[in-house]
Amino acid sequence: MSLVPGAGGAPASPGELPVIDLRSDTVTEPTEAMREAMAKAQVGDDVLGHDPTVARLEEAAAARLGKEAGLFVPSGTMGNLIALLTHTVPGQEVWLEESSHIYYYEAGGVSRIAGLLPRLFRGQRGIPTPEDIEGLARPAGMHFPPPGLLCLENTHNRGGGSVMPVERLHAVVAVARKFGLPVHLDGARIFNAAVALGVDARVLAEPVDSVMFSLSKGLSAPVGSVLVGSRTFIAKARRVRQMLGGGMRQAGVLAAAGLVALETMVDRLAEDHRVAKALAHALHAIDGIGIDPEQVETNIVLFSLPEGYDAGDFVQRLKAHGVLAVPFGPRQVRFVTHRHVSVDAVPRVAAAVRACL
Ligand code: TLP
């Protein structure tokens, strides 16, 4: 079976092949073990601080990333926003990669809600060099907004699931420290990065002050992310979550699935990476498709279409062949692999792409 039929809200009609949903790893559905844990979860009012399952998840998440404390949040977007609001004051600059999720995909919350001025750098496939960061600094002077925070993203979504290696991370963070800046990591897919590098996720979290990671992507939990950092940081962040309306009452039902995700779903991400690599090679063999399989390091596969094609139309045509994807640029398409797509799906996807050219 190439995928779980109906997974990701894409039911197949009788007699048709199941839909292969490569839109995102967010389409993953909770496992049986998660559903059981959710049904049996001990709960309480978490806003009043009484949900034992949320407390367990927050502790487990912090320990897993080597930080003192954690905060369960409804989404990665809110986790990042809380980090921005907790680290900075309005009017400061935040140093962001130009295609980072925070800048590109979070509806401008960085400015509208956090009141920050993004100062952008361009990484290579989203990954900066220390020089890229160094170049942002300006002399102290009353004309310049003071910098307040550096944000990094690992893996980098629009960079094509690119991974920031440990040495580079240290070198980049060292520059931020030189300018006295805290560092927040959008680690929505930090476990993909850790698995790809063969290191513990703590190693990737250690140099930075805060990390947001998603339970609801490759780890397959239905909802939620966790923000981790020092005890003081998380105490402040908890107030900010409340201000944004992100306090959830009997959230243990969701946290229970998150615990199963952390305990059982991390190591299998390597399989998603293998499927992505196989997809990349299959696409590379198709005339007119632009992709370098070497650059596919985790579970995101970006490829370009021949001149004259429109990614939006192409994705519509793919859909008619039972393959779901998202346009990622005028001629760029994104596939994301996850646990509902096995390597058996690769030939069908390749045949669908060929048929749509
Ligand atoms: N990314 C989603 C879309 O928003 C693009 C996806 O399908 O990849 N940081 C990164 C690096 C992300 O990729 C995402 C989600 C988030 C933050 C936000 O997480 P959620 O969706 O939980 O708000």
Side-chain angles (χ1 to χ4, degrees):
M1 196 49 152
S2 57
L3 88 176
V4 175
S13 341
E16 272 180 19
L17 285 169
V19 168
I20 300 173
D21 192 345
L22 296 166
R23 287 173 301 172
S24 183
D25 45 8
T26 58
V27 304
T28 47
E29 296 184 356
T31 62
E32 275 313 307
M34 287 178 193
R35 290 178 189 271
E36 267 170 45
M38 293 171 82
K40 291 186 188 141
Q42 263 191 303
V43 297
D45 188 327
D46 187 51
V47 177
L48 301 181
H50 294 317
D51 190 304
T53 311
V54 172
R56 267 175 56 218
L57 172 65
E58 292 178 342
E59 269 169 40
R64 189 77 198 233
L65 291 181
K67 297 293 186 205
E68 286 175 0
L71 182 71
F72 186 43
V73 292
S75 67
T77 301
M78 190 187 284
N80 282 334
L81 182 58
I82 292 171
L84 295 171
L85 284 158
T86 307
H87 281 299
T88 65
V89 293
Q92 284 183 319
E93 250 179 23
V94 55
W95 293 357
L96 285 170
E97 208 277 331
E98 64 175 24
S99 63
S100 62
H101 198 277
I102 292 176
Y103 182 68
Y104 200 93
Y105 283 123
E106 298 188 5
V110 56
S111 297
R112 167 90 195 243
I113 303 174
L116 299 171
L117 182 72
R119 186 154 160 83
L120 303 178
F121 55 91
R122 175 183 295 182
Q124 200 187 11
R125 294 193 297 126
I127 310 294
T129 62
E131 293 72 33
D132 292 330
I133 307 303
E134 191 92 44
L136 299 176
R138 290 183 285 203
M142 67 173 186
H143 294 94
F144 304 123
L149 179 69
L150 168 67
C151 294
L152 302 172
E153 187 174 314
N154 200 11
T155 64
H156 198 287
N157 184 345
R158 286 196 65 83
S162 48
V163 177
M164 186 183 301
V166 181
E167 262 178 42
R168 178 70 66 87
L169 172 66
H170 278 277
V172 162
V173 171
V175 179
R177 300 305 184 208
K178 195 169 99 182
F179 299 118
L181 295 189
V183 182
H184 169 67
L185 176 64
D186 176 345
R189 297 187 180 85
I190 192 173
F191 291 109
N192 294 84
V195 165
L197 291 167
V199 301
D200 193 288
R202 285 181 195 90
V203 173
L204 301 178
E206 190 273 325
V208 303
D209 300 281
S210 57
V211 182
M212 179 285 290
F213 74 91
S214 297
L215 296 161
S216 59
K217 297 195 168 68
L219 303 187
S220 286
V223 175
S225 293
V226 187
L227 179 64
V228 299
S230 71
R231 243 184 279 289
T232 323
F233 173 82
I234 292 297
K236 275 177 79 182
R238 202 172 282 282
R239 283 183 71 91
V240 175
R241 183 186 69 176
Q242 197 56 24
M243 178 181 79
L244 296 177
M248 298 179 286
R249 303 293 179 175
Q250 285 75 38
V253 171
L254 299 173
L259 275 163
V260 176
L262 265 189
E263 284 158 14
T264 66
M265 303 301 282
V266 171
D267 294 341
R268 65 152 307 287
L269 294 173
E271 178 55 20
D272 299 344
H273 300 176
R274 270 193 291 278
V275 176
K277 199 60 139 182
L279 257 178
H281 283 289
L283 291 169
H284 185 60
I286 301 175
D287 262 356
I289 294 294
I291 184 167
D292 177 359
E294 284 303 303
Q295 292 191 348
V296 176
E297 300 172 87
T298 59
N299 69 330
I300 297 182
V301 181
L302 296 187
F303 60 96
S304 61
L305 303 170
E307 229 164 288
Y309 280 79
D310 173 79
D313 294 345
F314 186 82
V315 161
Q316 280 309 313
R317 286 206 298 283
L318 267 184
K319 193 175 173 184
H321 290 263
V323 175
L324 305 185
V326 291
F328 228 51
R331 280 198 288 130
Q332 210 179 26
V333 176
R334 184 185 78 163
F335 286 159
V336 186
T337 58
H338 51 77
R339 77 179 185 89
H340 301 312
V341 182
S342 86
V343 78
D344 301 347
V346 170
R348 239 190 88 199
V349 176
V353 169
R354 251 195 207 94
C356 293
L357 284 174

